[in-house]
Amino acid sequence: ARVSDDVRRAAIISIGFVLCNNPSQVPKIVKLLSQSYNPFARYGAAFAIGISCVGSGMKSAIELLDPLMKDRVDYVRQAAYMAMAMVLIQHNETQTTKVKEVCEIYTKAIDNKHVDPMTKMGAIIAFGILNCGGRNCTISLISEAGHKRMASIVGVAIFPPTLVLVSINTFPQPCNNTNRRHWT
């Protein structure tokens, strides 16, 4: 039986949740999936990396997401932009040199009127994730004691599927009020 692309994407994203307490394993596991011919598999691989490696600045995660940020499919680029922001959240240029380059990529995507709407929306949301709370906030799926935070996991689990619907149907309201002054 042929597996639905939506089911495949959700299954790959789930790898990130299952292994969120062991993030170093995820880049190794999803490496081949990130190179798949199927864009839904690449989308899922990007989010699996973002979810499991959130805030880690892990080099292997960044290396896998980098080519996905240049993917030919718009929603794969969108997912890769947001996943990269999740990996680099609470990092600065001193800790991780990739932060400056990623910020420049987001700014170019936001400013360029020829960039497709899905990629642009991904850049806007990614810029918000990366700079949330003045880079003083993070996404935490695991407590300090090592237990999974179910409310956080549910919130992050709802994010990617909702984003697919939002990308196809509407443009999020909070993004309408941003201006250049807040991006720097």
Side-chain angles (χ1 to χ4, degrees), residues 66-130:
D66 205 30
L68 293 175
M69 290 178 65
K70 300 171 187 115
D71 199 275
R72 67 184 185 282
V73 179
D74 56 356
Y75 55 87
V76 175
R77 284 191 306 271
Q78 179 189 58
Y81 281 5
M82 290 182 284
M84 183 70 83
M86 291 168 79
V87 170
L88 295 175
I89 196 169
Q90 278 198 322
H91 283 258
N92 59 37
E93 295 84 4
T94 307
Q95 292 171 303
T96 311
T97 56
K98 189 74 172 172
V99 172
K100 184 175 182 173
E101 180 186 335
V102 166
C103 286
E104 289 171 3
I105 291 169
Y106 295 159
T107 302
K108 286 179 186 174
I110 293 166
D111 289 344
N112 188 344
K113 67 179 181 178
H114 300 294
V115 171
D116 59 274
M118 287 184 74
T119 302
K120 187 174 287 220
M121 185 178 125
I124 291 168
I125 292 172
F127 208 89
I129 292 169
L130 189 61

